[in-house]
Amino acid sequence: MVTITDVARAAGVSPSTVSYVLSGKRTISLETRRRVQQSIRRLGYQPNARARALASSRTHVIALVVPFRVDLNVPVVMQFVAAMVGAARAYDHDLLLLTKDEGSAGLRRVIGSAIADALIVMDVEAAEPRIPVLASLRRPVVLVGVPDQPQGLTCVDLDFVAAGAATVNHLADLGHRRIALLGPSPAVYERGTSYAGRFLRGFTEAVAARGLHAVSHPCVPSYDGVRVSLHQTLDADPSITAIVTHNEAVLGPLLSEVRHRGLDVPRDISVVAVCPDDMAKAQSVALTSLAIPAAELGRLAVDMTMRQLDGPAPAEIRLLSPRLTQRHSTARPRP
Amino acid sequence: MVTITDVARAAGVSPSTVSYVLSGKRTISLETRRRVQQSIRRLGYQPNARARALASSRTHVIALVVPFRVDLNVPVVMQFVAAMVGAARAYDHDLLLLTKDEGSAGLRRVIGSAIADALIVMDVEAAEPRIPVLASLRRPVVLVGVPDQPQGLTCVDLDFVAAGAATVNHLADLGHRRIALLGPSPAVYERGTSYAGRFLRGFTEAVAARGLHAVSHPCVPSYDGVRVSLHQTLDADPSITAIVTHNEAVLGPLLSEVRHRGLDVPRDISVVAVCPDDMAKAQSVALTSLAIPAAELGRLAVDMTMRQLDGPAPAEIRLLSPRLTQRHSTARPRP
DNA sequence: TTGAAAGCGGTACCAG
DNA sequence: CTGGTACCGCTTTCAA
């Protein structure tokens, strides 16, 4: 293994000089720098991250708590993670994978034993039990999602309250009066996942504000689940003219089932989906959708983490404004 | 921060004794051990992973190259990763996330700078370009997938050749004579992804061996893609009585489209899916499936990595035998 | 502009 | 059974 001392010897300088050439924290004469860089290349020197971490108390690693749940929408989670890895690499950092299974103990472990410098936590619950631990770690933390009591922790998320309202307003503007909301699977609500409740609140408030009528049900993401939900909604109230889905996993089954019932989208029924844009476009009917900007949120989460690593940054709650794109699944209801 | 020296002082012993209590590499009197453990608890001591890594040249981190591609089946990848994180934790190791984007340079980086002790590589191609680098690293490496020239690297995967044959044999046993294979998306073939070609080979060989007739097409995982594929198969040859899909992402669209054509599964057409069991069960018709044992493969990959970390282990190529479960999507063809 | 050397916090060898 | 101490490889302060 090539060490900094080997490089120093080869270049005829001291180890500290090599270190400074690498970090740029000291001005080095052009001549010396050349020689050092040449030796580094010739020897194929790669600084030892462990030694560097020990000496500088910076691991350049961010721990990421990923929700490996089946009931959560997997492709969306993947988009998040992919964006974060990319963003972290751009800052010359790596991501360490943590699961929710390890719970608070896992968070304490990676920070306490200095495996990682900071934490990004996904799948945040409204009554998030990990908050006390997170706050006690005194390390940079970014939550993807907004708990009811953030306790001074930094959060980033889509503004789901505004998102809920946006879907309603779009439909109300088109003239719909009676609409149905198919929400996430019951497990998501039971767990108190933060975004589920916030979306529902925005939805409900807008329904009231616009004087509409609405029903909402959680929805199990399967054909059977969708059949049940449609029974609870369309069958129970045939005057419903529009469906909002806040559950990416039901899109396929829903459209399939609706078509099976002989209904045309959007002629007989309008559909608004809350999902990433690419997903909305890939359906049998290009869906009017409220975008989940997973990539942007992921990048932001990393940015905010880095800012905290650079120095004390004020806690903030960053909510991205929703963006609704009309495609071919919404239209005026038939008279 | 509490260090090993603090603990030693509190317990009235030397740092090395504390270290040995922790590692168990030396017999310590019960009395001393008690005192030390008590001090550890009282002070809330957590060993510093960086220092430990530097001194022991073991980071307890395994780098995992995850394919963040949309054309790959995302839920399956997630199942893999989840299983690996769990398995790694059971060995007191963590997983570092790497993307294929970084290519060979990324592999060289994490090993060269001693960020990780070993590598697990997913999304292996038949003509895998990273093999020379991987071999040159002289570190434990496990490939999930089998390249054409493994060059002494350890691999683990489902036996896709046998899997292809198993799907054919099941259908042949039921009496089907003309079948269609809907494969992965064209991008997967173009990339030369290892499993795609192997499955196709096993499928084709079995078709010949059983004297059947078959057509196969890649399939874009969308409604349009499925429509095109069905046009190329069922429409081109109406005597086809069974479909094999080696593409988890088309299951929903396929069943929906088939139903839309007024065909009943399995009365009019049999369907065999290559996908994880839970996915097969979640479809509108419980599918006869050839299981992709993602969790088991993930666990195995970690096991094999750990074995290599324990000492020089002979290279091996471990192929899991396929398991086909008949559910409600296959039956004898109508006379 | 550069060098020497004291850490960073453990591990493990050499003694006793 | 336990202690002392020389590293592990890099960063950074102190001196020149």
Side-chain angles (χ1 to χ4, degrees):
Chain A
M1 179 191 220
V2 186
T3 73
I4 201 171
T5 310
D6 297 330
V7 174
R9 192 166 21 231
V13 299
S14 77
S16 57
T17 298
V18 176
S19 176
Y20 283 118
V21 167
L22 252 14
S23 69
K25 291 188 179 171
R26 195 189 242 187
T27 46
I28 304 281
S29 73
L30 192 81
E31 157 63 8
T32 318
R33 191 168 29 196
R34 283 233 171 296
R35 276 215 316 286
V36 170
Q37 275 160 346
Q38 178 125 21
S39 305
I40 288 179
R41 255 195 309 282
R42 262 199 326 121
L43 301 181
Y45 170 66
Q46 292 190 266
N48 184 306
R50 303 172 297 201
R52 204 207 277 270
L54 180 56
S56 65
S57 39
R58 280 296 222 93
T59 63
H60 279 224
V61 169
I62 300 170
L64 173 67
V65 185
V66 179
F68 289 112
R69 324 183 140 280
V70 190
D71 56 355
L72 227 82
N73 191 259
V74 182
V76 177
V77 173
M78 271 290 209
Q79 288 186 26
F80 265 108
V81 176
M84 291 191 197
V85 180
R89 286 303 304 139
Y91 286 108
D92 192 26
H93 280 236
D94 280 294
L95 251 41
L96 193 85
L97 218 50
L98 248 46
T99 67
K100 212 176 177 179
D101 302 351
E102 275 197 80
S104 296
L107 308 176
R108 238 186 253 110
R109 179 177 68 84
V110 292
I111 297 301
S113 53
I115 292 172
D117 299 328
L119 287 168
I120 297 178
V121 180
M122 297 181 66
D123 195 18
V124 171
E125 297 170 22
E128 179 55 58
R130 293 167 293 186
I131 290 205
V133 179
L134 252 13
S136 75
L137 295 177
R138 310 184 167 294
R139 286 273 166 187
V141 171
V142 171
L143 305 182
V144 179
V146 185
D148 292 340
Q149 308 282 338
Q151 309 276 38
L153 293 175
T154 291
C155 310
V156 59
D157 205 353
L158 175 64
D159 186 339
F160 275 100
V161 177
T167 60
V168 171
N169 288 329
H170 172 68
L171 292 171
D173 290 346
L174 285 172
H176 294 271
R177 308 294 305 160
R178 304 182 83 81
I179 63 188
L181 168 63
L182 301 196
S185 81
V188 170
Y189 284 110
E190 280 157 24
R191 200 162 66 241
T193 303
S194 114
Y195 64 78
R198 288 186 286 138
F199 184 89
L200 181 56
R201 182 148 57 81
F203 179 89
T204 310
E205 288 170 0
V207 162
R210 298 294 295 255
L212 307 190
H213 183 78
V215 292
S216 87
H217 289 281
C219 185
V220 177
S222 69
Y223 283 84
D224 285 342
V226 166
R227 269 193 283 270
V228 169
S229 292
L230 290 185
H231 185 67
Q232 292 171 322
T233 53
L234 298 192
D235 293 341
D237 178 1
S239 62
I240 286 176
T241 57
I243 295 176
V244 174
T245 61
H246 181 206
N247 187 339
E248 300 87 347
V250 308
L251 297 179
L254 173 64
L255 293 173
S256 166
E257 199 57 40
V258 164
R259 182 162 69 164
H260 190 59
R261 286 168 167 243
L263 298 176
D264 179 81
V265 174
R267 193 166 44 86
D268 304 311
I269 186 128
S270 286
V271 174
V272 177
V274 180
C275 69
D277 281 326
D278 55 348
M279 212 169 283
K281 289 186 221 163
Q283 302 303 320
S284 55
V285 178
L287 299 176
T288 293
S289 72
L290 195 142
I292 298 204
E296 189 179 356
L297 284 169
R299 208 175 36 62
L300 262 177
V302 171
D303 285 346
M304 293 163 82
T305 305
M306 294 310 305
R307 205 142 316 141
Q308 288 186 62
L309 280 170
D310 288 343
E316 58 175 324
I317 295 181
R318 187 101 156 247
L319 296 179
L320 262 48
S321 296
R323 190 172 48 70
L324 186 144
T325 305
Q326 177 156 20
R327 297 202 179 80
H328 306 308
S329 65
T330 50
R332 317 196 139 276
R334 288 199 291 182
Chain B
M1 179 192 224
V2 186
T3 73
I4 200 171
T5 311
D6 298 330
V7 175
R9 193 171 17 234
V13 298
S14 77
S16 56
T17 298
V18 177
S19 175
Y20 284 118
V21 167
L22 252 15
S23 70
K25 292 188 180 171
R26 198 189 239 185
T27 46
I28 304 281
S29 73
L30 192 81
E31 158 62 7
T32 321
R33 194 168 27 197
R34 284 232 169 294
R35 276 218 316 286
V36 170
Q37 276 162 346
Q38 179 123 23
S39 305
I40 288 179
R41 255 195 309 282
R42 261 199 329 119
L43 301 181
Y45 169 67
Q46 293 189 265
N48 185 306
R50 303 173 298 200
R52 203 206 278 268
L54 180 57
S56 66
S57 37
R58 280 296 222 97
T59 63
H60 279 223
V61 169
I62 300 171
L64 173 67
V65 185
V66 180
F68 289 112
R69 324 182 140 282
V70 190
D71 56 358
L72 227 81
N73 192 258
V74 182
V76 177
V77 173
M78 271 291 208
Q79 288 186 25
F80 266 107
V81 176
M84 291 190 194
V85 180
R89 286 303 305 139
Y91 285 109
D92 192 26
H93 280 237
D94 279 296
L95 251 40
L96 192 85
L97 217 52
L98 248 44
T99 67
K100 213 177 175 180
D101 302 351
E102 276 198 80
S104 296
L107 308 177
R108 238 185 252 111
R109 179 176 70 84
V110 292
I111 296 301
S113 52
I115 292 173
D117 298 328
L119 288 168
I120 297 178
V121 180
M122 297 182 67
D123 194 19
V124 172
E125 299 172 19
E128 180 55 57
R130 293 168 292 186
I131 292 207
V133 179
L134 250 15
S136 75
L137 294 177
R138 312 184 165 294
R139 287 274 164 185
V141 170
V142 171
L143 305 182
V144 179
V146 185
D148 292 340
Q149 309 282 338
Q151 308 277 37
L153 292 175
T154 291
C155 309
V156 59
D157 205 352
L158 175 64
D159 186 340
F160 275 100
V161 176
T167 59
V168 171
N169 288 329
H170 172 68
L171 292 171
D173 290 347
L174 285 173
H176 294 271
R177 309 293 305 159
R178 304 182 81 81
I179 63 187
L181 168 62
L182 300 195
S185 82
V188 170
Y189 284 111
E190 280 157 23
R191 201 162 65 240
T193 303
S194 117
Y195 64 78
R198 289 185 285 136
F199 184 88
L200 181 55
R201 183 149 57 81
F203 179 89
T204 309
E205 287 170 1
V207 163
R210 299 294 295 255
L212 307 189
H213 183 79
V215 291
S216 87
H217 290 280
C219 185
V220 177
S222 69
Y223 283 84
D224 284 342
V226 165
R227 268 194 283 270
V228 169
S229 294
L230 290 185
H231 185 65
Q232 293 171 321
T233 53
L234 298 193
D235 292 340
D237 178 1
S239 61
I240 286 175
T241 57
I243 295 175
V244 174
T245 61
H246 180 207
N247 186 338
E248 301 86 346
V250 309
L251 296 178
L254 172 64
L255 293 172
S256 166
E257 199 57 40
V258 164
R259 182 162 70 165
H260 190 58
R261 283 167 168 246
L263 299 175
D264 180 79
V265 174
R267 191 166 48 82
D268 305 311
I269 188 129
S270 286
V271 174
V272 178
V274 179
C275 70
D277 281 327
D278 55 348
M279 213 170 283
K281 289 185 221 161
Q283 304 303 320
S284 53
V285 177
L287 300 176
T288 293
S289 73
L290 196 141
I292 297 204
E296 190 180 354
L297 283 169
R299 210 176 33 65
L300 263 177
V302 171
D303 284 346
M304 294 163 80
T305 305
M306 295 310 303
R307 205 141 317 141
Q308 289 185 60
L309 280 171
D310 287 343
E316 59 174 324
I317 296 182
R318 186 101 155 248
L319 296 179
L320 262 48
S321 296
R323 190 173 47 71
L324 187 145
T325 306
Q326 178 157 19
R327 297 200 179 81
H328 307 308
S329 66
T330 50
R332 317 196 139 277
R334 289 199 290 183

